[in-house]
Amino acid sequence: MKKIALLIAALVTVGAATTAQADTLSDIKSSGKITVGIDPTFPPYEFTNDKGEITGYSVAIMQSFAKDLGVKLEFQKTAFSGILPGLISGSFNAEGSSLNVTAERAKKVLFTVPYSKTVNGVLVRESDVKKFSGKTLSPDQLSGLSGAVKSASVPEQLLKGFNETLTQEGKKPITIISVDTLDQTVSTLMTKRADFVFDDISVLAPIVKKYPNKVAQVGEAGPSQWMAWATRKDDTRLNKAISEHILAMQKDGELTTLQKQYLGTTFTVPASDFIPQE
């Protein structure tokens, strides 16, 4: 009987601990702050400005959420490749780096509703612009070239998918150069270690503006995808709170204002059915 009582007590303790761990929203409210893991190297979504402040489109949304919740927002800088592992292990309350919504990631984390849409483009040196034609580029047009991407990103996965197609067709694959930051992808292009950079067109636009007559975007490649944040699977209350705030911002026009300010375009984000099938 004593062993049974101890077993029941242990199970109750584990259950209580799991419940406490799962209720991150309550922890945030009681502590008065939300700790967010972020890789601020992805303008215009999340980046560090000249004053050393973390800012951007997605940052403004997270700041709005924290303000509405009545808590302080604290960022924990993390390399992009460590964002999801850090989230899952509990290194921070939530993650604040923009993620492409994929079926593979959805197996590991719980996505909030999207707040943006991504279309990936190809950035090349100005001297190579004439080598490409058309608004939409096929994997064939990138065959045999070297492409720079951020490690663990969806653009990296898309290039790997392109290579599967090229290999099946007996064509030269793309040499994928994976680096940690957007700046490193651009540096790889400028020093001619890569023939192109592959990333979201809203991310590439500021680079073109920053380096006029040196780089240019020559087209888009691959499917468009929604962008969102993710929470741990158990954090359903926190996920719901963030999602409802994003949809409320869309309803009152605040999201549209931020889209115009940071992205130069507007779109309506879905409330459901945004995770792609495998």
Side-chain angles (χ1 to χ4, degrees), residues 27-233:
D27 293 340
I28 291 169
K29 289 180 177 179
S30 62
S31 67
K33 68 176 181 180
I34 178 171
T35 304
V36 175
I38 193 169
D39 176 22
T41 62
F42 191 56
Y45 290 93
E46 49 265 353
F47 61 97
T48 305
N49 62 21
D50 295 337
K51 297 179 181 179
E53 302 165 331
I54 296 178
T55 186
Y57 172 65
S58 61
V59 173
I61 299 172
M62 185 62 76
Q63 288 170 333
S64 175
F65 171 69
K67 182 179 179 181
D68 184 62
L69 203 60
V71 299
K72 181 180 179 181
L73 176 61
E74 291 187 358
F75 288 117
Q76 184 173 320
K77 292 184 180 181
T78 305
F80 186 76
S81 58
I83 288 292
L84 287 185
L87 172 68
I88 294 169
S89 67
S91 297
F92 25 81
N93 299 135
E95 69 85 20
S97 279
S98 298
L99 298 175
N100 290 88
V101 178
T102 68
E104 182 181 357
R105 284 173 172 166
K107 294 176 182 178
K108 303 175 183 178
V109 295
L110 189 64
F111 280 109
T112 66
V113 298
Y115 51 80
S116 187
K117 191 175 185 179
T118 177
V119 179
N120 291 297
V122 176
L123 184 79
V124 301
R125 293 181 292 276
E126 181 69 32
S127 57
D128 291 334
V129 169
K130 293 182 180 179
K131 297 179 182 179
F132 301 87
S133 61
K135 182 179 179 181
T136 302
L137 301 180
S138 67
D140 285 2
Q141 291 171 278
L142 304 177
S143 173
L145 301 180
S146 299
V149 289
K150 286 181 64 175
S151 177
S153 67
V154 166
E156 180 186 58
Q157 295 304 313
L158 286 174
L159 289 191
K160 290 179 179 179
F162 292 170
N163 276 348
E164 291 179 4
T165 300
L166 292 170
T167 300
Q168 290 172 0
E169 295 175 351
K171 299 173 182 177
K172 290 184 178 180
I174 300 161
T175 299
I176 302 173
I177 303 174
S178 301
V179 295
D180 291 331
T181 68
L182 177 65
D183 287 344
Q184 289 174 346
T185 64
V186 178
S187 175
T188 304
L189 175 68
M190 301 289 262
T191 55
K192 298 186 177 182
R193 288 178 292 156
D195 298 307
F196 67 90
V197 169
F198 192 49
D199 215 322
D200 180 73
I201 58 174
S202 63
V203 172
L204 299 180
I207 298 173
V208 175
K209 186 176 181 180
K210 184 177 180 180
Y211 300 105
N213 303 318
K214 290 186 178 181
V215 298
Q217 186 202 318
V218 292
E220 301 168 4
S224 63
Q225 292 178 311
W226 291 109
M227 297 179 74
W229 287 311
T231 63
R232 289 180 283 274
K233 285 283 191 178

Side-chain angles (χ1 to χ4, degrees), residues 245-266:
H245 187 79
I246 292 171
L247 293 174
M249 291 179 70
Q250 177 165 263
K251 185 176 181 180
D252 66 19
E254 186 179 358
L255 199 65
T256 298
T257 299
L258 291 176
Q259 288 169 355
K260 290 178 180 178
Q261 178 183 348
Y262 289 101
L263 308 180
T265 187
T266 63

